[in-house]
Amino acid sequence: MVGGGPDAFIGEVHRQAARMNGGIDIVAGNFSRHGKKSQETGRMLLLDPARIYSSYEQLAEKERRLPEGIRADFVSIVTPNNSHFPIAKTLLASGFHVMCEKPMTFTAGEARELQKLVASSGKVFGLMHNYTGYPMVKLARDMVRGGDLGEIRKIVIQYPQGWLASPVERKGSVQARWRTDPAQSGAAGALGDIGTHCENLSEYVTGLRITHVCADITTFVKGRRLDDDANCFLRFENGARGILHVSQIAIGEENNLAIWIYGAKKSLEWHQENPNSLHVKEPDGPVRIYRRGNPYVARLSTAAARATRLPFGHPEGFIEAFANVYRNFTDTIRASAALKKADPLARDFPDVNDGLRGMLFIDTVLESARNAEKWTPMLS
Amino acid sequence: MVGGGPDAFIGEVHRQAARMNGGIDIVAGNFSRHGKKSQETGRMLLLDPARIYSSYEQLAEKERRLPEGIRADFVSIVTPNNSHFPIAKTLLASGFHVMCEKPMTFTAGEARELQKLVASSGKVFGLMHNYTGYPMVKLARDMVRGGDLGEIRKIVIQYPQGWLASPVERKGSVQARWRTDPAQSGAAGALGDIGTHCENLSEYVTGLRITHVCADITTFVKGRRLDDDANCFLRFENGARGILHVSQIAIGEENNLAIWIYGAKKSLEWHQENPNSLHVKEPDGPVRIYRRGNPYVARLSTAAARATRLPFGHPEGFIEAFANVYRNFTDTIRASAALKKADPLARDFPDVNDGLRGMLFIDTVLESARNAEKWTPMLS
Amino acid sequence: MVGGGPDAFIGEVHRQAARMNGGIDIVAGNFSRHGKKSQETGRMLLLDPARIYSSYEQLAEKERRLPEGIRADFVSIVTPNNSHFPIAKTLLASGFHVMCEKPMTFTAGEARELQKLVASSGKVFGLMHNYTGYPMVKLARDMVRGGDLGEIRKIVIQYPQGWLASPVERKGSVQARWRTDPAQSGAAGALGDIGTHCENLSEYVTGLRITHVCADITTFVKGRRLDDDANCFLRFENGARGILHVSQIAIGEENNLAIWIYGAKKSLEWHQENPNSLHVKEPDGPVRIYRRGNPYVARLSTAAARATRLPFGHPEGFIEAFANVYRNFTDTIRASAALKKADPLARDFPDVNDGLRGMLFIDTVLESARNAEKWTPMLS
Amino acid sequence: MVGGGPDAFIGEVHRQAARMNGGIDIVAGNFSRHGKKSQETGRMLLLDPARIYSSYEQLAEKERRLPEGIRADFVSIVTPNNSHFPIAKTLLASGFHVMCEKPMTFTAGEARELQKLVASSGKVFGLMHNYTGYPMVKLARDMVRGGDLGEIRKIVIQYPQGWLASPVERKGSVQARWRTDPAQSGAAGALGDIGTHCENLSEYVTGLRITHVCADITTFVKGRRLDDDANCFLRFENGARGILHVSQIAIGEENNLAIWIYGAKKSLEWHQENPNSLHVKEPDGPVRIYRRGNPYVARLSTAAARATRLPFGHPEGFIEAFANVYRNFTDTIRASAALKKADPLARDFPDVNDGLRGMLFIDTVLESARNAEKWTPMLS
């Protein structure tokens, strides 16, 4: 692992999620750019002190020399956005599979280059768009792509949060500080952090590509240098219309990611904070609530069944979705190690192409926000 | 009453709502342009046959000659949009107070003229934006305008419906037929029918005026001549951002009108289909659900208390909100009859200015939809 | 109307509900035992002063002499429980149809006598168990009685309230005062006021009779003379088990009446505070939410459709359910006036037999509460 | 681990939950009484084949001889109820700490003996009443025990499930087979499996002991030999009343464990299927929804904060609660290894005393169910 030191949040989530799966253990890491902090975290994790590194270059260099079976099989990158690319590049070049936090890179240019590097490396590259790991998201995807909803007409997706409604980055919040700092986060704030989740989830579920964007983005908190609110109209390749809105100043909202998909025959609705249910609606019949873990769900979606760990009624949450992305990623690595083609169900995890797509989305939205014209075509 | 014959929907709602209040009774009407249908409805309502009219002109002419105390005090207009203006004009000229369905007129030009006619007539004119009649909407308004939420930053308002997801206007639905017919409805479909409710509600609750619109409107059902889906970004006079989206093709949605208002200090959320609750959120405290009919609500909002008919726990719904608009309207008429100034609480009902505002909103959105430019200033 | 004066709650509900229906108007009343208060309320209702009476005997005596078409067709009794019987007896004897609040009488003995009086009078007698008037309750009844759920196994019904959690009867609440006074309410407190609603609703929906009761009743507030909390196990004639629990000390609960019915094939769930939905569950399929006003509901239940006033999505509430009981009651009166047999759909309102049943339930529960034995057979 | 072979459910949950915590790894096991099945599971878990045992006696015997640091520190028992006691006895005698599934033993007699064995062994014994591990349950406990609700008056607790509504034990369900078999489960069915969770949770949250029980238990599915539905009235030591009802024939219910606690000052409500929220109600104020992971929760309950792994809005579920029980259990073992007194916060996990309490509850309820008398005192 690179990143995930004492002040981090997502690194520990990666560790818990990966561990849940079994057969995955953390063996080495560079947890901070500060050697001492890196040591501190590594020791807390009971790592061999020799494998707690003070830089990612050192990690790459030393680990690659260890014998197979001992050396790390893959490395997770959980640092701020600006360092994803150089770290990933180094790791791929050193022969490691890579799991990377989103947004994938600092710029779209880096993302394009990374796409090529992954292709030429032959390594497995995963991107942590964790929300695609929820079983009911997979059921939604299989229903939509299987045609149950008919032609898709309208998609509404939102991700309001409230934690940045005041300038907490100036009051000691480490999380807030790097996320609102253009030098670490890149050109986008809320848009990059949570807007890309919306872009990814809407394309993942529908299989439709966004072709045009019309954006209105705002920074509400004075002195903040990145957007904390972003609203977009979307057009999809089949003519479907979309609304995507995210915010970090929406007081009282936690992680209220939700998606509504309206087709010509049916519609559906899913809420991340109530992830074990999927609401499906039809023109002249009762609303149906599909509930995770039931046999009827398994009959409709093998992917949902595979992503299910507990029987119905035992609520699953964020960590299982996260762990599901890891499981598919590592199953694909194992297949690759065995020179086998991975099960298509295992290859169901976000990858470098999704990462590039996210970076292009950010750039398109930012361009649209500057444009006086209504519609900006999606960059490619 | 003008309109509200055998195939109508909203006319009967007006009658039930007005009757609930007590002290209001229907005494005369022209319920259809077809004399026979008008008679049919009038007799069902046990009216004096002599006061069941075959045209609104006849109603105006005959009723005005009846002695005070016998003749109708006010007339409700519940016809399709295209006839609102001529009917209202005739009734005002004949000395009647008028309650009118929304959207107020067929064109903004008519609305401007009606505004003048009302002013010169000295009569009371009410517009049936019924959603403003809900107690919890009044509580929301009093909290927002009283500054509880701090400076308003973002408003999200939606009104998805699904009943026009297929071309039911060609399958015998009378309601669908006139609402999708430009000759009867005007230039806007979903936008006029339910979009104006959103515009009205967002301005009612916040007291902020929309200054700019960016719209994306669509007709999804082939062969339909008016929009059945409309999405708008809004800018408000204080710099607040807004998203307004309505649809009539959102399968499974009933009347899912909902509003979220995010301020710098707090936020709130209200859902028309669950109207007895108002969710209020703050930065570091539990979510609060305010429930209609409780003493603590009355302490916060006299208007909410006045609009409350039943104790907490006995759910109130659509009809009470509707009746509340009527009660304030008729209380104002009574004050006017007594040459008194109406209680400000009674004057809390939508009027001709709101109606003009709605017509301007429609025209602005339609212009924006045609524009390649992102922002269109609100017409005036 | 008898009762419903200045301090009353339910009288005004009766008036609003009856008026909504159209074709019903209040023409006379004795609104209080205090002549002055009766006058005050009657004048507020714009009644002919000659028909505002100072006692129910006077009302019965004077109204009966008025010519048909002028005199009241029926009289609603909305006084405290202790006076229901003598008033009803007098009114029936004077030739009036009667609508009575629940619990029907002060004692089961009175109820038995009233049952005979109604039978011999040939008059229509309605009892205001208003919750049976909800459309989704009628759908539930039709589904259960139609066999959709299979053999009924278990019924859970609750009605928690919190408004009597402290001794408000000693702090000026008129409503609380008479409801906690044995001299006015009878032998039961929460049990009589809301427990009878549960008994009635469970028998109404299932068509099954309670045969045995095991009760635990408590008075939590010191100095209170009637129960404020009652819990019962029930046995039904088919062997089904039941749990019925009501409370008036359940802080924060408003009128949280809810019922769960579990059959051998399906189950259902309904909540009075969210009355437009009915949840239906099956062994291996999604939860279905049936929503009031939809065509598929009308296809399943003519009674539900008949009890529906507004299209789906326009929430109906307490007042419409109340008005539905009145409508069936008055339709039955009209049929009786026309010497016709009322439509079975119109005869769907609670009557004197339900009232007797309620009084027997109260007595059975009170006996059980005193018993050291577990099961007490339902009195008859 | 003992148990948790190929057909098991809860064993894998124990493994995932324990692993999430970090610092815990499974090193040995006897996963089935069938050596081959035990091997199969052990190999799937990548265990050293020498430490996959074919009986628990073998496991105890061989592991105890391994050097400290290599041998298992504790053993989890996840077998059917009838074998818990002999296994636990053997393991304690061999010097292992023990985590055991509930209900703790086959009979209350065994439970009493186990209580003594644990005391004399000096080992740490945990019982997997996992629902006590939820952060919002800990908040509820701290609020109730801290006096926020005032004197507790009434407790309603339920755990309806529907999975045994038909005789699935005769259609190949392994889970159903042993749970409905008196030889493996003991004298109680639903009562033992889920009723004990209710008993445990209500005493855990309130700190009040049940003193009397009045029970009505039923077997609805023909041919089944244990109860599948159990309803109880409870009396608590302070005079509070309770209703506890569980079912396995409640079609459509998953794991709908929920608790309502009504005090003289406030009340609260928690639902296991929506575990990140706790509803708190007061006499004249809005309903408050406390949400897991927020700073205001941490300020109210150190135990809730300690049991929280993810920030608010990232839903936690069943597995985290489970893992929290493990964490406190293992932290206590670590303290014990270091000859330290464990942090009181770490000692917050169900133990042998809770297990005995559960067995006594089962016996009391069964006795009450046989009794014609209403109340049966809690056995001790």
Side-chain angles (χ1 to χ4, degrees), chain B residues 23-314:
Chain B
I24 304 180
D25 218 350
I26 183 161
V27 292
N30 160 233
F31 303 101
S32 169
R33 283 164 301 175
H34 309 288
K36 208 173 138 187
K37 287 192 172 178
S38 186
Q39 282 290 328
E40 189 186 315
T41 299
R43 280 166 195 265
M44 209 190 62
L45 294 168
L46 309 177
L47 296 195
D48 174 354
R51 297 176 73 182
I52 308 172
Y53 304 104
S54 54
S55 73
Y56 69 86
E57 295 92 341
Q58 192 192 26
L59 178 148
E61 188 54 30
K62 297 253 173 106
E63 285 289 319
R64 68 184 293 200
R65 299 200 186 158
L66 295 175
E68 200 173 342
I70 301 293
R71 75 157 173 263
D73 293 308
F74 70 90
V75 182
S76 297
I77 305 174
V78 295
T79 58
N81 312 345
N82 59 336
S83 56
H84 291 176
F85 177 69
I87 301 173
K89 187 176 174 176
T90 302
L91 291 168
L92 288 167
S94 304
F96 295 100
H97 305 290
V98 170
M99 169 59 77
C100 185
E101 254 305 314
K102 43 55 43 192
M104 187 170 75
T105 54
F106 200 59
T107 66
E110 288 179 356
R112 268 189 218 94
E113 198 177 332
L114 190 56
Q115 192 183 38
K116 283 177 210 147
L117 290 171
V118 169
S120 61
S121 73
K123 294 295 155 190
V124 181
F125 183 94
L127 185 74
M128 190 41 83
H129 274 304
N130 51 292
Y131 299 112
T132 62
Y134 277 111
M136 299 316 270
V137 166
K138 296 190 185 293
L139 172 60
R141 182 200 58 174
D142 287 351
M143 292 180 81
V144 172
R145 297 200 182 189
D148 272 17
L149 276 68
E151 184 71 16
I152 299 307
R153 291 173 165 179
K154 184 171 187 175
I155 296 151
V156 180
I157 188 160
Q158 65 171 32
Y159 197 151
Q161 298 182 326
W163 69 295
L164 294 178
S166 66
V168 289
E169 64 269 38
R170 299 199 291 274
K171 292 172 192 157
S173 163
V174 172
Q175 286 298 316
R177 208 182 307 143
W178 77 258
R179 281 171 205 258
T180 59
D181 175 6
Q184 293 185 71
S185 269
L191 175 63
D193 194 19
I194 53 180
T196 50
H197 278 307
C198 292
E199 170 271 327
N200 179 259
L201 190 61
S202 59
E203 294 199 348
Y204 179 77
V205 173
T206 63
L208 297 171
R209 301 222 140 195
I210 297 166
T211 59
H212 293 79
V213 166
C214 165
D216 182 29
I217 80 176
T218 311
T219 304
F220 280 105
V221 173
K222 275 185 195 155
R224 184 166 289 160
R225 287 177 296 158
L226 292 174
D227 67 276
D228 48 26
D229 190 86
N231 307 317
C232 304
F233 295 146
L234 308 174
R235 291 204 173 170
F236 290 85
E237 53 186 322
N238 74 333
R241 267 26 180 202
I243 301 171
L244 179 160
H245 61 100
V246 303
S247 189
Q248 291 174 326
I249 57 87
I251 286 177
E253 302 284 6
E254 299 184 348
N255 282 344
N256 195 359
L257 171 63
I259 188 166
W260 293 257
I261 300 182
Y262 300 105
K265 285 158 55 181
K266 286 188 189 171
S267 71
L268 60 78
E269 177 178 347
W270 180 77
H271 295 259
Q272 193 266 149
E273 294 187 0
N274 186 17
N276 296 285
S277 292
L278 178 74
H279 291 239
V280 179
K281 300 171 193 171
E282 58 185 57
D284 183 23
V287 175
R288 282 153 210 249
I289 309 180
Y290 288 78
R291 299 269 305 158
R292 188 197 55 76
N294 282 283
Y296 63 83
V297 170
R299 289 194 298 270
L300 289 170
S301 167
T302 312
R306 179 184 155 93
T308 294
R309 292 154 185 268
L310 297 170
F312 55 76
H314 301 80

Side-chain angles (χ1 to χ4, degrees), chain A residues 204-267:
Chain A
Y204 178 77
V205 173
T206 65
L208 297 170
R209 299 221 140 197
I210 297 165
T211 60
H212 294 78
V213 166
C214 166
D216 182 29
I217 79 177
T218 312
T219 303
F220 280 106
V221 173
K222 273 183 198 158
R224 185 166 287 160
R225 286 177 294 158
L226 292 174
D227 67 276
D228 48 26
D229 190 86
N231 307 317
C232 304
F233 296 147
L234 307 175
R235 291 204 172 171
F236 289 86
E237 53 187 323
N238 75 332
R241 269 19 182 209
I243 302 171
L244 179 160
H245 60 100
V246 303
S247 189
Q248 291 174 326
I249 57 87
I251 285 177
E253 302 285 5
E254 298 184 348
N255 283 342
N256 195 358
L257 171 63
I259 187 165
W260 293 259
I261 301 182
Y262 300 105
K265 286 159 53 181
K266 287 188 189 170
S267 71

